[in-house]
Amino acid sequence: MTNETPLAIDVRGLVKSFGGRRVVDDFSMRIPEGKIFGFLGPNGSGKTTTLRMLCGLLTPDAGEGTCLGLDLRNQAPLIKRQTGYMTQKFSLYEDLTIRENLEFVARLYEMDKRGERVDSALRDLGLYSRRDQQTGTLSGGWKQRLALTACILHEPRLLLLDEPTAGVDPTARRDFWDEIHTLAGRGITVLVSTHYMDEAERCHEIVYIAYGKLLASGTSDEIIDGTKLFTWRAHGPDADRLAGQLRGKDGVEMAVAFGADLHVSGTDEAALEAAIQPFRGTGKLNWHPTKPTLEDVFIHLTAGSKDNFS
Amino acid sequence: MRRLLSITRLVAMLMKEFNHMRRDRTTLGMMIGVPLIQLTLFGFAINTDPKALPTAIYSADTSAYTRDFTAALVNTGYFEIVTEARSREDVDGMLTRGQVQFAVTIPANFTRDLIRGERPEILVEADATDPVATGSAISALQQVKQSVFDRDLKGVSLARAPAPPAFDVIIHRRYNPENITQYNIVPGLMGVVLTMTLVMITGLAVTRERERGTMENLLAMPVRPMEVMLGKIIPYVIVGYVQATIILIAASVLFHVPVEGSVMLLSAAAILFMVANLAVGFTFSTIAQNQLQAVQMTFFFFLPSLLLSGFMFPFRGMPQWAQVLGEALPLTHFLRIARGILLKGSTFTDIAADLLGITAFVIVATAIAMTRYRQTLD
């Protein structure tokens, strides 16, 4: 145990139901300190609920564990002090100025040297000259960066980010992720939920959840390799048009167009080959086996879990 | 670690609320405008002692006596002869249509019968669909009957002068001898305005956070329920205080409502009353899911306050069960306190029981609010 990195999050068997529906079901997760974990899953899969349980906003119906070595159930107020939680929806006060919002946060955490800290945060953010502007007038990208600043102002050891980059342009997203990597470099643990595959690939590890259940976890390569999925790629004129014809055939689990290319995947290697056989002889198309993308894997996992679920 | 209250965090909440208030000009304007508008509107408009009510007269007999009678009616100030009816049917029609409030019918041969001492009858019909409108005028009629012909008939009529009653009843209308409606309405309006604006404003202040999603962020930070509640209540106590001051100044300047008792005592009672209403608003906000529901709940609380507190209708006129309900409402007690201090010059001991009533309400409402307030989103 001594040579192992301490765990920032170590939870077992978390369960949460709303109105009789299990939103999170027997969820377990271990995240070592200083790592960036991507939290993926379809809409309504229980990501937000899990994040809320981790930061003490929701009480789990069952399960136990620790955040930053503190007990999830009994020490929630202490966890809150060392955790920064960024909500999915922008939740700073739009009618307050940028500075007033940060000062409010600084006061709530009873921080010392508040003025100094807020000023330096504003300078780092590049909003110092606009500090007296009402927050609601900022653009989406700026709002996200301000929200991040607000939740790291009290120097938390754990960051929980709920779809922080939804609706933000690529440049702002890249800046955002650079910031997250800088924070992780300082030893902060980050758990970030997202729907973007490129973001998932920027995480150290990924946790995939669907219908309240953990489906896969590990690095993106581990997850792709761990899923026994075979994929063929067709390249050539009108390759993407074949998707409709291939869907529903035995062995074809999905046929997805990527630009002019086509990805055809399935778990049964032989059946998959048999299914694409009729289209291989035409000569115009160039077929070759390829490594499935993270997206292929996730769609496969989601489809599979839906069957188990219903 | 688990202190109930941190001054720094409370200050954070207070500054935030003041900043919200400062920026929300419409609400701020409403909070100052509502008491002014309501006070001038209701203060000048409402009159439970209406004068110069439209009266029709149908006279089948005309003489100096009947003219004296009508003149005496008009002199009471309650009647204004607007029309002369031509027939009994005419009288009926005018009453039914609501054209007149009263109809006076003087029968044929009235003067002759009067002089003969045959006690002729004058019929006064009132449209009594609204008892408040006719009540004072009808009691004024009794006076007219007693005195109008005393002088005219001396030595003329064969009727014997009625013997005076064996004893006299002396009536003192204390605290409001002239029966001025404003003296009753204006102190009450202070309570009514405070109830409506304060319950609604706290209800909205908390549900707005929930609706905009800022509550989630607030709960994720280490702020304690007491700090949130006080942070939401204290700024509005100040707003309420401004409202009460406006009303009090207007009461004395515009309506010349007497201020017999201690303004300090009234202020103290008003603060307690405001806290009671703010606690109700906060409790509603823990139940309401959105701002619309908060407003609906406010009206759910406001209507009984208005109707059962004794502001609109006499408290003692209600049946026992309704009085019990009324006693539970803070407005009932505050009305008694405000009227007592302003009109009667009540002292602390006079209003102690009512202060206790409000205090009990505050304790119950706060307890409910604190148990209902969730530090989680469960």
Side-chain angles (χ1 to χ4, degrees):
Chain A
M1 285 301 277
T2 44
N3 55 354
E4 223 174 89
T5 332
L7 293 172
I9 296 178
D10 182 11
V11 291
R12 291 170 301 277
L14 291 187
V15 174
K16 184 75 192 175
S17 307
F18 291 114
R21 205 173 69 85
R22 282 199 165 197
V23 178
V24 174
D25 193 5
D26 194 19
F27 180 84
S28 304
M29 176 165 63
R30 290 155 71 90
I31 300 183
E33 280 185 6
K35 293 284 182 199
I36 303 174
F37 266 58
F39 202 13
L40 284 92
N43 290 327
S45 57
K47 297 192 295 292
T48 300
T49 306
T50 308
L51 289 176
R52 284 176 175 173
M53 282 196 278
L54 291 175
C55 68
L57 277 180
L58 289 173
T59 325
D61 296 338
E64 55 181 13
T66 57
C67 263
L68 303 168
L70 297 162
D71 187 74
L72 204 57
R73 289 182 177 279
N74 306 324
Q75 293 175 301
L78 295 177
I79 296 175
K80 278 184 189 179
R81 292 200 153 263
Q82 302 181 65
T83 303
Y85 172 53
M86 186 169 157
T87 53
Q88 194 170 345
K89 205 176 148 211
F90 182 71
S91 59
L92 295 179
Y93 298 97
E94 303 217 346
D95 56 337
L96 298 191
T97 65
I98 295 163
R99 199 196 159 84
E100 284 166 352
N101 264 309
L102 292 182
E103 278 180 343
F104 174 64
V105 172
R107 277 208 171 81
L108 278 195
Y109 285 101
E110 297 177 286
M111 289 161 57
D112 55 350
K113 295 180 280 178
R114 285 189 293 266
E116 237 170 86
R117 284 173 197 261
V118 168
D119 280 350
S120 92
L122 282 168
R123 284 204 186 85
D124 290 348
L125 189 62
L127 282 178
Y128 188 75
S129 59
R130 294 160 75 182
R131 61 192 182 278
D132 292 325
Q133 191 179 327
Q134 280 191 29
T135 310
T137 59
L138 290 174
S139 70
W142 276 114
K143 278 185 186 170
Q144 299 305 81
R145 294 189 58 196
L146 177 62
L148 181 64
T149 300
C151 73
I152 60 173
L153 194 65
H154 64 289
E155 295 168 359
R157 289 165 59 206
L158 172 65
L159 264 186
L160 303 171
L161 311 175
D162 197 359
E163 294 186 26
T165 54
V168 170
D169 70 50
T171 320
R173 264 173 60 192
R174 177 157 293 180
D175 291 347
F176 198 90
W177 274 90
D178 287 346
E179 175 74 20
I180 289 177
H181 275 274
T182 311
L183 292 169
R186 283 190 228 148
I188 298 179
T189 313
V190 183
L191 178 60
V192 49
S193 78
T194 180
H195 285 302
Y196 298 112
M197 292 304 143
D198 61 312
E199 289 188 350
E201 280 160 353
R202 298 191 68 168
C203 297
H204 295 125
E205 283 191 40
I206 296 163
V207 175
Y208 191 74
I209 180 176
Y211 306 100
K213 286 186 187 293
L214 180 82
L215 293 185
S217 68
T219 63
S220 88
D221 284 341
E222 279 169 8
I223 290 183
I224 293 172
D225 295 343
T227 317
K228 297 275 173 273
L229 192 68
F230 302 94
T231 301
W232 283 79
R233 191 164 76 142
H235 179 74
D238 292 340
D240 54 312
R241 305 284 163 86
L242 289 178
Q245 295 175 51
L246 278 164
R247 257 176 227 147
K249 284 201 187 294
D250 280 345
V252 176
E253 202 172 291
M254 52 190 152
V256 187
F258 280 87
D261 288 3
L262 182 73
H263 279 208
V264 187
S265 314
T267 37
D268 186 336
E269 199 173 4
L272 181 66
E273 270 189 67
I276 62 170
Q277 198 56 47
F279 303 95
R280 290 182 75 181
T282 58
K284 279 186 277 178
L285 294 181
N286 176 15
W287 287 86
H288 53 90
T290 183
K291 192 179 165 183
T293 63
L294 205 50
E295 187 172 290
D296 292 331
V297 169
F298 286 156
I299 291 170
H300 160 75
L301 286 173
T302 311
S305 81
K306 198 176 195 171
D307 296 342
N308 295 339
F309 194 71
S310 52
Chain B
M1 205 61 212
R2 291 182 68 83
R3 283 164 302 155
L4 205 60
L5 195 74
S6 138
I7 297 300
T8 317
R9 291 200 297 257
L10 180 58
V11 168
M13 287 300 297
L14 289 177
M15 285 183 60
K16 173 181 92 71
E17 289 302 319
F18 277 119
N19 282 325
H20 286 318
M21 222 193 276
R22 206 153 52 91
R23 304 254 155 73
D24 188 357
R25 290 286 159 84
T26 324
T27 309
L28 196 63
M30 219 178 68
M31 287 186 289
I32 306 299
V34 161
L36 269 179
I37 294 169
Q38 293 202 339
L39 187 75
T40 31
L41 194 67
F42 300 149
F44 281 117
I46 298 176
N47 182 8
T48 50
D49 186 25
K51 303 271 167 72
L53 297 165
T55 306
I57 195 150
Y58 171 57
S59 191
D61 180 35
T62 312
S63 69
Y65 298 109
T66 64
R67 277 195 297 276
D68 269 359
F69 179 75
T70 41
L73 274 188
V74 172
N75 284 342
T76 62
Y78 287 101
F79 304 91
E80 189 187 345
I81 312 290
V82 290
T83 177
E84 293 222 1
R86 291 162 206 283
S87 64
R88 283 287 307 149
E89 288 73 35
D90 214 9
V91 167
D92 256 356
M94 281 191 278
L95 274 175
T96 313
R97 286 194 299 276
Q99 215 173 324
V100 292
Q101 191 84 42
F102 289 98
V104 179
T105 306
I106 298 174
N109 303 327
F110 173 78
T111 311
R112 190 196 68 194
D113 294 351
L114 184 69
I115 292 170
R116 283 188 187 164
E118 286 178 6
R119 296 186 66 83
E121 289 170 331
I122 293 178
L123 176 65
V124 177
E125 291 160 291
D127 175 356
T129 45
D130 182 357
V132 179
T134 49
S136 303
I138 287 172
S139 45
L141 265 179
Q142 303 298 329
Q143 286 295 318
V144 172
K145 186 183 75 176
Q146 298 264 327
S147 56
V148 62
F149 294 138
D150 281 0
R151 181 171 49 84
D152 295 1
L153 291 179
K154 202 157 275 174
V156 179
S157 169
L158 299 179
R160 269 176 292 136
F167 64 97
D168 272 343
V169 175
I170 293 168
I171 298 167
H172 277 191
R173 293 178 182 227
R174 287 181 64 184
Y175 313 122
N176 186 5
E178 291 168 72
N179 200 13
I180 297 172
T181 308
Q182 274 95 2
Y183 286 13
N184 180 40
I185 295 280
V186 172
L189 266 182
M190 179 152 62
V192 170
V193 168
L194 289 175
T195 301
M196 192 177 79
T197 47
L198 296 184
V199 172
M200 181 145 43
I201 223 85
T202 19
L204 290 180
V206 182
T207 44
R208 185 161 45 223
E209 296 236 16
R210 199 164 294 140
E211 230 171 74
R212 294 190 181 162
T214 52
M215 190 50 112
E216 190 181 352
N217 196 27
L218 193 61
L219 291 176
M221 293 192 276
V223 63
R224 304 198 58 79
M226 191 56 108
E227 291 150 6
V228 176
M229 182 160 169
L230 286 178
K232 294 281 179 191
I233 283 183
I234 294 172
Y236 297 109
V237 168
I238 296 171
V239 170
Y241 206 77
V242 172
Q243 292 185 329
T245 311
I246 293 174
I247 295 179
L248 208 56
I249 291 173
S252 128
V253 172
L254 283 180
F255 300 107
H256 313 291
V257 173
V259 183
E260 300 288 342
S262 151
V263 175
M264 284 305 293
L265 184 60
L266 184 58
S267 300
I271 289 177
L272 184 64
F273 174 65
M274 290 174 212
V275 172
N277 284 307
L278 294 166
V280 172
F282 195 85
T283 308
F284 284 171
S285 74
T286 61
I287 303 165
Q289 292 301 311
N290 52 48
Q291 298 192 55
L292 182 67
Q293 284 180 12
V295 173
Q296 286 170 333
M297 286 185 194
T298 303
F299 277 95
F300 195 70
F301 179 74
F302 181 64
L303 270 182
S305 288
L306 199 63
L307 302 176
L308 299 184
S309 64
F311 173 70
M312 288 189 91
F313 307 110
F315 189 80
R316 294 211 171 86
M318 301 192 301
Q320 201 60 44
W321 60 265
Q323 291 198 15
V324 170
L325 273 180
E327 290 285 352
L329 298 166
L331 182 59
T332 309
H333 300 285
F334 184 70
L335 281 183
R336 291 180 198 154
I337 293 172
R339 286 172 182 165
I341 293 177
L342 290 177
L343 304 180
K344 302 181 182 176
S346 297
T347 58
F348 178 77
T349 38
D350 297 323
I351 62 166
D354 287 311
L355 286 176
L356 204 64
I358 304 182
T359 310
F361 186 90
V362 171
I363 291 169
V364 172
T366 313
I368 295 175
M370 292 324 285
T371 43
R372 281 214 49 99
Y373 180 82
R374 291 272 164 270
Q375 264 187 297
T376 59
L377 295 167
D378 287 287

